[in-house]
Amino acid sequence: MRDCKIILARHGQTEWNKEYRFQGRTNVNLTEEGKKQAHSLSARLLRWKPEVVYTSPLDRALYTAAEIARPHNLEPVIIPELEEINFGTWEGMSIPSLKDEESEIYSKWRSDPFFNMPEGAETWEDISRRLTRAAEIMLEGNYTRIVAVSHGGVMRALYAVMLGLNPHKTWNIEVSNCSVSGIEIAGGQKYLSFLNDYLHVAAGKTGENLPLWGEIYEH
């Protein structure tokens, strides 16, 4: 296993993010704010110079990935296995409404989401199988600086699949829109270097001169 650094990035804000709805496989586009977030993320990664940008095929991820790839004359590479989790009968459902109207069901899901999915949704076995394949694809080339744009549920699952973290607990990790997390592979070991960094969004700046992975950039 070669040494490399992997940025896991979530897509920008969508209308359903604003409305707190389960998106899953539904193809919801970015809001104008989400597009600004994607631009800020692209600027944040500009001087880091990614060598490849992988992405989920869903439009919200693909738009974000294209923003990141464009300054480096790259085209996003679609990995179908990075698509968001299928939430079955909950797709499009309001999370606050579910919490109010089906509080027991919601509480059971929230206590351990990957193992209490609704009817028609993916099982943890299905999710982990396809994301194991996604991780293999990301590591097949000779790239040392990799970006993978996906979704909140998928990123939480990838922490379990790639780092061996407990999948019963990874849903407790916050994954903000257009946040980045860093996984470093060195000497055959995998390390979580940073988690849910969205300073470029929260600060309302372009992000171009913000440090990433301990690298300080000159103005």
Side-chain angles (χ1 to χ4, degrees):
M1 188 183 301
R2 75 184 184 289
D3 292 357
C4 64
K5 293 179 177 179
I6 304 168
I7 293 286
L8 300 181
R10 188 184 177 193
H11 60 79
Q13 182 199 70
T14 71
E15 198 63 40
W16 281 15
N17 288 146
K18 287 176 62 178
E19 296 174 359
Y20 297 99
R21 294 182 181 273
F22 289 99
Q23 293 184 110
R25 299 285 175 81
T26 307
N27 216 5
V28 186
N29 292 323
L30 298 187
T31 61
E32 289 304 312
E33 177 61 27
K35 292 177 181 179
K36 291 177 184 177
Q37 292 172 350
H39 179 74
S40 292
L41 174 54
S42 176
R44 180 79 182 276
L45 298 179
L46 187 64
R47 298 192 188 187
W48 191 68
K49 298 180 180 178
E51 298 167 356
V52 64
V53 180
Y54 295 114
T55 183
S56 154
L58 294 174
D59 287 347
R60 55 191 185 271
L62 192 55
Y63 183 100
T64 304
E67 282 290 297
I68 296 168
R70 189 176 300 110
H72 309 282
N73 295 316
L74 299 173
E75 289 291 332
V77 178
I78 292 174
I79 298 179
E81 290 85 353
L82 288 175
E83 193 171 38
E84 179 59 302
I85 294 165
N86 180 352
F87 281 100
T89 57
W90 286 3
E91 297 247 343
M93 186 175 289
S94 164
I95 296 173
S97 294
L98 179 66
K99 185 177 180 181
D100 290 341
E101 298 168 12
E102 301 284 352
S103 58
E104 187 174 338
I105 292 172
Y106 175 81
S107 295
K108 183 178 180 181
W109 172 78
R110 195 65 188 87
S111 69
D112 198 357
F114 287 126
F115 298 89
N116 289 297
M117 298 295 275
E119 183 180 351
E122 285 184 277
T123 65
W124 171 248
E125 289 74 19
D126 293 334
I127 295 166
S128 60
R129 188 182 303 112
R130 69 176 170 92
L131 290 181
T132 296
R133 177 55 186 152
E136 290 171 350
I137 293 169
M138 286 190 281
L139 296 173
E140 281 176 352
N142 294 316
Y143 305 111
T144 59
R145 294 191 176 207
I146 299 164
V147 174
V149 182
S150 61
H151 309 269
V154 163
M155 287 177 65
R156 292 176 175 102
L158 280 170
Y159 298 140
V161 168
M162 297 187 72
L163 297 166
L165 301 184
N166 186 344
H168 294 280
K169 299 297 183 183
T170 54
W171 208 280
N172 294 334
I173 298 173
E174 186 72 26
V175 184
S176 302
N177 285 121
C178 269
S179 65
V180 290
S181 297
I183 295 175
E184 182 167 6
I185 299 176
Q189 299 296 316
K190 296 174 184 175
Y191 304 92
L192 181 62
S193 299
F194 54 90
L195 186 67
N196 198 44
D197 180 346
Y198 62 101
L199 184 60
H200 45 284
V201 174
K205 299 179 180 179
T206 63
E208 185 174 351
N209 294 309
L210 295 174
L212 185 71
W213 230 303
E215 299 168 357
I216 305 298
Y217 304 120
E218 298 294 333
H219 289 279

